[in-house]
Amino acid sequence: DQHPNLFDETTFWAAFEKDLRKAKDKVIIVSPFVRKSRFQIVQQYLSAFVERGGVVEAIISQEPDSKSTLKETEKLLGDAGWKVRVMKGIHQKVAIIDDRICWEGSLNILSFANSRELMRRFESRIEAQAIWDNLRF
């Protein structure tokens, strides 16, 4: 049996989508890399949220040797109504929803393809703030 707060690459997406669809105010996604195909899936979960005035902020560290340029990636996310912050050298994989639902682990949310991953979910305003403070943005 899997621990109720631990998810692998096969169980993560349904649970994450459920959280995203319930978002009320703000979604922050820290995902160093972005692949257009994965971004488009996550964006589908959040399009109605953005239309209602919800804020989505992506913190990325797109490397210059990736398939798309940083400017192309920033435009892709910006055109979806997302705020984009580029931080060189980040490696964290985190999502914080409404300052209380936290996801953290090894899965690159905006670029996942087919690797083995582990993500942990928990609800805590104190932990959400601690993670945010630790990221030092």
Side-chain angles (χ1 to χ4, degrees), residues 37-100:
S37 58
R38 180 55 62 183
F39 161 73
Q40 289 172 330
I41 293 168
V42 175
Q43 187 225 351
Q44 286 177 346
Y45 304 158
L46 289 166
S47 59
F49 172 72
V50 171
E51 286 170 21
R52 290 192 310 268
V55 173
V56 179
E57 182 171 1
I59 300 167
I60 64 172
S61 178
Q62 190 88 358
E63 297 301 319
D65 61 350
S66 63
K67 286 183 182 137
S68 58
T69 68
L70 186 55
K71 286 211 182 311
E72 289 170 333
T73 299
E74 288 179 288
K75 181 175 177 2
L76 178 71
L77 277 61
D79 286 351
W82 294 23
K83 295 180 178 180
V84 182
R85 200 183 309 196
V86 179
M87 308 291 288
K88 293 289 178 211
I90 62 164
H91 199 254
Q92 296 95 329
K93 290 91 174 176
V94 171
I96 302 172
I97 301 166
D98 295 332
D99 296 321
R100 70 178 177 84

